[in-house]
Each structure stands twice: as C-alpha cells, then as structure tokens.
Amino acid sequence: MKPDQIDLLTTTGSPTLHPDGSRLVVAATRPDFRADAYVGQLWELTLDGGRRRLTRGFRDTAPRYSRDGGLLVFLRAAQGGKPQLFAMHAAGGEPVQLTDQPLGVAHFDISPDATTIVFAARVPEHGRYGTVDGVGAGLEDPRLITGFKYRMNGLGYTTDKRSQLFTVAVPSLDAEPYIAAVGRLKQEHQDGPGALEEQGAVPAALQLTTADADHLEPAFSADGQRILFTAALAQDADSTLVSDLHSIAPDGGDRRQLTNLDGGTLLGCSAPRPSSDGAWLFFLASDLSPSGLDFVARNTALYVQPTDDPQGVRRLTDAETVDVGDVQEIIADGPDSVLVVNRSRGRGELLRVSAAGRSDTLVTGPTVVTGAATAAGTVVVAYTDPSTAGDVAVVEGGALRPVSDFSADLHGRTRVAELQERSYPAPDGTPVHGWAVLPEGEGPHPVLLVIHGGPFAQYGWGYFDEAQVYAAAGYAVLLCNPRGAAGYGQAHGRVIKEAMGTVDLDDVLAFLDGALAEFDAMDDVRLGVMGGSYGGYLTAWTIAHDHRFQAAIVERGYLDPPSFVGSSDIGWFFSEQYTGTDPAHVAEQNPFAKIGQVRTPALVIHSEEDLRCPIEQAQRYYTALKKQGVETELLVFPGETHELSRSGSPWHRRQRFEHILRWWARHLPTAANPADAPVP
C-alpha cells in the first residue's frame, strides 16, 4: 500500500439487522482526497450477499432499525457540517431531517413504539461556537477554569458545551414537506445552525437535562417509560473518574441514580442496555479502586442488575482475563443475554453472556470484531482482519461468512503483506507476543520496530495501514504487545505501574532480538524504531538506553511526565497513576531526564491541537536534541489532534506517511524507498 492509496481504506460501522433477520444496513466510510474528508453512505445487504446503496449523503453513519422494522434512523453530516438525525422508511425513500443541533447529534436511541427518538447533543453557551454572528473563537469571552476536567482531546473545552439529552417526535414520513421552510432552506448557512428548527423545517426537540455535566449514551428502557444514560453527577465528580448510570422519565423528571449505591467499589460505568424483556439492565464498568482514580490496566467488565433492584448488581465477566471495553457497545440478544466484544491477544472476540453469567464465544481467531447485531436467531458482525479494512459477515457455526466486500479495491490494487504471528521470551522468561510483516524479496531488509500507544492497548489481527505502507516501501515491520499492553490480563498490564521503561523496554527489545535471530530476511544492523503516544514515550526511552538504531521517529509522545501534569487534558490523573509522585522516582521513568544520553537521529512528529500529549512535549524534546547536536527535525501538523494517524484529514495522513518514508529513505534506504526519494 502506498501513501496515496489510503482512500482505499473503507471501514464499516456497527450494523443494524432488520427484526425479521432478512437483511441488514451498515455504514461504509472512507477517506476522500478530493473533499479532504471522510465520506460514506448506508448500504443494505442481504444475507445471501446482495447489496444496494441505500443513501447518498456526504457522510451517513450509525444506522438503526426501529423495533418493528418499519423505520430506519441514522446520522447525516453535510460537507463541513455536523451530524444530524435523519429518518426514512426501512424499505427506502427520501430521508427526512429531524434535527438541526448547532454542534451536531451524537448517540441516539429509538423508542419501542418508534414514535420518539432520544439523543445526546452538545449545547453551546450563548456567545460561543458561532451562536452570535460575528463573534469568532478569538473574540469570545474569557473562560474561568475552576476544576480539573475542562478539556478533551479532539473536542476542546467541554464545560461550555455540555452534552445534554433531548427527545424529538418522529413525524409522518409520508406527510407533505415542511412547506413553510422550503423557500428558506437556502438561508441555512446565513441564519446559522439551529435555524431550521426555528423556521419549523425540522421538528422541535425537547431538552430533558440541564445539569453542568455531560449526559451520554441515552437508551430507552424496554417498555419506553424510562430513559437510561451515563453521567458523572456526584459532588466529587470533578476529581474522580467515577461515572454512573441514571434514568429519567421521558419528560426529563424523576432522575434516579442506578449504580455506585452501596458505598463499596467505585465503578466507571457506561453503555446501559436493557434486556429485551426489561427484566435486566446490563452495563460496562471498570473498578477504579477506592480512590476513584486508579484506572491503570483495569479491564472493563460486563455487569448486570435486576431492573427493579439497583442493589442487586453483579459482575458477569472475569475482570482479570476478559476485557469488553474496546468496543463500547452492548447488543441485546434475547430476554436475558447480550453480545459484547472481548479483546484478547490481538483478537476482537464476540461473546454471548447471559444474566446468569454463562459465556459462549461466538467468534474468535485472527479477526477483530468491531460491531454486531442480532435478530431472529441471526448474528452479524462488522470486522477487520489482516487483509480487510472493514466488512460484514454472518456468524455461522463459529465461523464468518462474508456478505460484503468493501475491501475489494484494496485487495485488487495493493499487495497485502502477511502477518506472521510470533512469541519470543523476555530476559525473565515472560513470552512477548506479536507479529512480523515482511516485504517482497529475499532481503535482508531493514527492520522497523513499531511500538503502540496506550500503553493499555494492543496490536492485533486487524488490517493495519502503518505496517502495510512500510512493508510496501521495503521494510520488515515488527509489532508486539509488551507488558503494559491490553489483552493479556490485568497483571500483564499493571506490571509497569510506577515502573515504566523497565520490563516494557525489555520486552520490545526481546521481540526484536528474537525476530532477528529467526528471520534471515531481516538485516540485524539496519534498524529503526518508532511509535506514537506511549509508543513515542518508549521510543524516546529506547534510544536513550540502546544505541543500535540508525534512526527513530518519536510521534505525539508522552515525553516529560512532570510537564504533562497540568498541560494534558488527562494530565491531572494519568501521569501520576503510571509513574507515581515521588520526584526522584518519576525522573527514573522520564525520557526527558535521560535525553542527554540520546545519540540516535530522531524525527519528532506532532499535531498543533493535540490536547492529549500537548505539543510542548515535542517542542521541548526537539529543542533539547538540537541543542546537544543530535540530528533531528520537527514535523508539525496544523489543525490536527492526537488522532492524526487514525482520523486526521486524508491529505495530512498522506503527507505524514510521505514524510515518514522520506526520513527512513535518508537513514534506511531501500530499493522501493531510495535515498534520493523526492521531498514531499
């Protein structure tokens, strides 16, 4: 795969299955260079492989059938616009717009009788975010900050645009159009967001919540008489990571807290989902310890409680060995069971779990399930695997039967390099699990050790554009999950708590040494190391302690824990939970404190609007390297956040790859990526 081919990466969202099990709808989205944006539409797929494009919006996502199967609701965003709710007959036809929220609509749910939709939307303070004509961001009033939680990467300030809950009635889709607004639709951009509702061009939405907190993930109860949601409404909510499930009446009254009622273990709760018969409430949660802050390598478990007894909460999955938090979704499956996705050893497994605690694995193997749906005894999944960026399949007898081929162009126009699974022992005997990806030809090929972020994350079996681009350029790529990573149990993840740069460094180097010893096609001298976020941390730490690498790339790195505290959106809790608070001990885990030992040429990549790892981390690291005479460059992307490599603008993602290959061409040239490659 070449950098200019990332527009072949079509991904699929969570599918929705018609109640009769005959067909499904899924959103297929891809980067588009012409629009420099992500575009996509909804596709209807039959279980025998038939398909048709159902919508033609700029970006249509998140489809959901009503319980009776007659209604299909989804989100549509115009180019440069925010996602809004649309509804259409399930059989097809012209979609009808239901909302015109200034900052767009997020999560939504359809009432059991298909008459009402509940949704979450951010409500801007008056005078901010374009709510007053002529008042741009630079002219807004100052912000007075009084708490820890006030920013979020990719979102910016949060306390002046809280997420609130709304309901909107579903109009008759066969009624006459909103005639009063027909002549005014061209004024939308002049009148500003929200004008369509004021003009009567979309139904009026009823705001249900107003508290100074984010109200998230709304869902109707099975009988439609309550609305469930997630929020941190406790008095100490600003200083802990605890969040609760709540319910309210459809008019917004009678709020009830449903979790963390016993004064025991504090949980961070999310994803409320009632059973189809209404007897049970399932949800996801992580044990945050008595402090409410110890999130390090805490697996997310599935919980259940009787709908009529909030005190009867039970944990259904083993928090040490099962982690169902990667896909924040619970799919109701019959009267007393649900489907969830477990991340394990690079896999995304689909589990069926009953309220009694019985668990069955429906999908496993070299696959990452990214979403699922079930109806009429049929289970379908969205998934990615080593050669598929995103497709949909029916689950049959534990195997997947694909019913789509959105990656056909990817297969036809690129060589998909094979993932070879390996495990090598660390110095203390601990197995280090991962993958080797080899380019074409006999070699010996230069080797790139690529380190993932997190650290409580994992490389896996899904299609990975990074590995494919580097392999196509002639590099052998090594991907491993060192201690600190997810998918191998909590103990494996927590061992680096207050011990960063110890066994995790041992593990990545052991995986490198093991692969070099096994593969004759790998050059044991021409070596590079690279990583982003925590991977940037461990890359910077590695080149301060091991000088075998010809060059390195440190991207969006967590590089100086002391300055990270207070400057990062999560700095107030994240750094000290990982490194501890003793200054001398923190220094022993701090790449910036060891920067004087670095001799390896390093390209530093960062995004200007990264709030997770603020750009000062990169600027100070780059400047220190330059002052001590180490070859270095700083590549800065305007307008991008911490998510540049995953969801940044298509052109920036392409340019990022081009600069990375330029750097490797200088220090580790290959026939496919020669030293005289043109500068992007």
Side-chain angles (χ1 to χ4, degrees):
M1 179 180 164
K2 305 292 186 182
D4 62 357
Q5 293 177 312
I6 64 169
D7 58 348
L8 301 178
L9 298 177
T10 298
T11 58
T12 48
S14 292
T16 182
L17 190 60
H18 193 273
D20 67 9
S22 65
R23 61 192 187 276
L24 63 94
V25 174
V26 68
T29 305
R30 63 174 179 82
D32 184 271
F33 286 124
R34 291 173 299 177
D36 198 19
Y38 294 83
V39 303
Q41 294 80 41
L42 304 186
W43 292 80
E44 183 183 74
L45 309 175
T46 61
L47 302 191
D48 61 2
R51 75 172 189 172
R52 65 169 177 142
R53 193 191 304 266
L54 199 60
T55 65
R56 294 187 174 275
F58 182 79
R59 184 167 63 252
D60 297 336
T61 59
R64 178 171 293 186
Y65 280 116
S66 60
R67 186 176 295 185
D68 64 5
L71 183 69
L72 183 69
V73 181
F74 62 97
L75 297 178
R76 167 170 288 179
Q79 186 169 7
K82 303 295 184 181
Q84 305 293 345
L85 278 173
F86 280 71
M88 62 188 295
H89 289 298
E94 183 72 19
V96 174
Q97 185 171 347
L98 303 183
T99 62
D100 187 31
Q101 292 294 312
L103 299 181
V105 172
H107 191 102
F108 69 90
D109 193 26
I110 308 170
S111 66
D113 62 4
T115 63
T116 307
I117 299 172
V118 62
F119 63 90
R122 293 198 171 272
V123 179
E125 284 185 0
H126 183 69
R128 300 192 190 279
Y129 306 105
T131 54
V132 174
D133 290 343
V135 179
L139 296 177
E140 292 178 357
D141 292 340
R143 292 176 171 88
L144 179 64
I145 309 301
T146 60
F148 289 118
K149 301 178 183 178
Y150 64 94
R151 293 190 302 170
M152 184 60 62
N153 179 69
L155 186 61
Y157 291 99
T158 57
T159 55
D160 56 11
K161 53 175 183 287
R162 289 298 195 186
S163 177
Q164 304 292 352
L165 302 187
F166 297 78
T167 56
V168 63
V170 178
S172 171
L173 302 184
D174 295 319
E176 289 294 320
Y178 288 92
I179 301 299
V182 169
R184 302 177 185 170
L185 294 181
K186 294 181 180 180
Q187 298 179 12
E188 178 182 353
H189 296 294
Q190 299 174 7
D191 294 346
L196 295 183
E197 183 172 324
E198 294 177 5
Q199 297 168 0
V202 299
L206 172 66
Q207 184 171 339
L208 306 180
T209 60
T210 58
D212 185 18
D214 286 337
H215 302 70
L216 307 167
E217 303 176 304
F220 279 101
S221 62
D223 61 6
Q225 298 304 302
R226 304 288 295 177
I227 293 172
L228 309 166
F229 64 96
T230 308
L233 297 174
Q235 288 187 345
D236 61 352
D238 184 62
S239 58
T240 76
L241 303 178
V242 176
S243 58
D244 287 301
L245 305 188
H246 304 262
S247 75
I248 53 175
D251 63 0
D254 189 27
R255 181 180 66 84
R256 304 173 190 172
Q257 183 175 326
L258 305 178
T259 54
N260 288 311
L261 297 173
D262 60 4
T265 300
L266 294 174
L267 301 176
C269 304
S270 63
R273 178 60 56 189
S275 60
S276 59
D277 66 359
W280 303 98
L281 173 60
F282 294 88
F283 61 96
L284 304 180
S286 296
D287 177 352
L288 296 171
S289 79
S291 72
L293 284 173
D294 185 3
F295 73 97
V296 173
R298 299 280 188 172
N299 279 343
T300 299
L302 176 66
Y303 286 75
V304 70
Q305 64 187 39
T307 302
D308 58 1
D309 180 17
Q311 298 285 358
V313 61
R314 290 182 287 114
R315 180 167 51 79
L316 298 177
T317 56
D318 177 18
E320 176 55 41
T321 59
V322 177
D323 184 4
V324 295
D326 200 32
V327 177
Q328 285 282 313
E329 187 174 6
I330 298 175
I331 300 95
D333 174 50
D336 67 347
S337 64
V338 293
L339 305 180
V340 291
V341 177
N342 173 42
R343 60 177 171 182
S344 173
R345 295 181 61 80
R347 304 183 296 262
E349 302 176 324
L350 186 66
L351 309 182
R352 173 182 283 133
V353 185
S354 73
R358 177 180 174 180
S359 179
D360 299 306
T361 302
L362 304 185
V363 178
T364 189
T367 302
V368 177
V369 173
T370 57
T374 180
T378 298
V379 177
V380 298
V381 297
Y383 71 97
T384 174
D385 63 21
S387 62
T388 301
D391 266 304
V392 182
V394 179
V395 180
E396 294 181 341
L400 297 184
R401 177 172 62 82
V403 293
S404 72
D405 191 10
F406 293 113
S407 291
D409 286 345
L410 184 66
H411 301 150
R413 295 171 55 186
T414 72
R415 171 186 178 267
V416 179
E418 178 188 1
L419 268 66
Q420 301 187 45
E421 187 178 18
R422 290 294 188 273
S423 183
Y424 302 112
D428 63 2
T430 300
V432 186
H433 178 235
W435 294 265
V437 183
L438 294 178
E440 290 186 290
E442 296 183 0
H445 308 287
V447 178
L448 299 181
L449 174 62
V450 185
I451 305 173
H452 68 63
F456 198 56
Q458 64 172 1
Y459 281 137
W461 284 105
Y463 185 93
F464 188 30
D465 59 341
E466 303 269 334
Q468 297 299 327
V469 166
Y470 306 147
Y475 299 97
V477 182
L478 297 178
L479 312 166
C480 69
N481 293 325
R483 275 169 283 187
Y488 304 84
Q490 289 187 146
H492 180 275
R494 287 179 67 81
V495 72
I496 66 167
K497 183 176 170 65
E498 299 191 33
M500 296 184 73
T502 58
V503 294
D504 45 350
L505 175 62
D506 292 341
D507 287 1
V508 295
L509 294 180
F511 195 85
L512 171 64
D513 290 336
L516 294 177
E518 177 183 355
F519 290 96
D520 291 336
M522 294 185 186
D523 191 322
D524 61 3
V525 174
R526 293 191 296 156
L527 306 175
V529 60
M530 63 187 299
S533 196
Y534 162 77
Y537 166 92
L538 198 52
T539 296
W541 188 257
T542 297
I543 60 176
H545 293 83
D546 191 304
H547 304 296
R548 74 176 90 177
F549 298 95
Q550 272 64 61
I553 297 178
V554 177
E555 185 171 11
R556 60 182 184 274
Y558 165 60
L559 303 174
D560 185 27
S563 69
F564 188 86
V565 177
S567 63
S568 166
D569 65 329
I570 60 171
W572 65 276
F573 68 89
F574 179 95
S575 193
E576 292 176 350
Q577 288 295 319
Y578 263 107
T579 66
T581 58
D582 177 73
H585 187 57
V586 172
E588 288 304 310
Q589 303 167 78
N590 183 356
F592 204 82
K594 310 294 182 182
I595 199 168
Q597 301 170 192
V598 175
R599 303 196 296 268
T600 306
L603 171 63
V604 182
I605 303 176
H606 222 94
S607 296
E608 273 191 340
E609 296 182 13
D610 189 336
L611 300 183
R612 184 57 40 88
C613 292
I615 194 170
E616 59 87 14
Q617 300 274 299
Q619 292 166 330
R620 294 175 60 242
Y621 189 79
Y622 159 76
T623 301
L625 290 181
K626 199 163 185 66
K627 287 178 67 177
Q628 66 193 41
V630 176
E631 181 186 350
T632 183
E633 296 176 353
L634 175 62
L635 180 65
V636 176
F637 284 88
E640 298 291 353
T641 73
H642 199 65
E643 301 304 307
L644 164 64
S645 65
R646 296 177 281 263
S647 59
S649 81
W651 276 104
H652 278 165
R653 287 179 64 185
R654 173 178 173 172
Q655 290 170 322
R656 171 184 171 273
F657 272 138
E658 291 171 342
H659 276 281
I660 287 172
L661 294 182
R662 172 190 60 81
W663 180 259
W664 291 130
R666 180 189 304 175
H667 296 280
L668 297 171
T670 67
N673 189 37
D676 58 356
V679 176

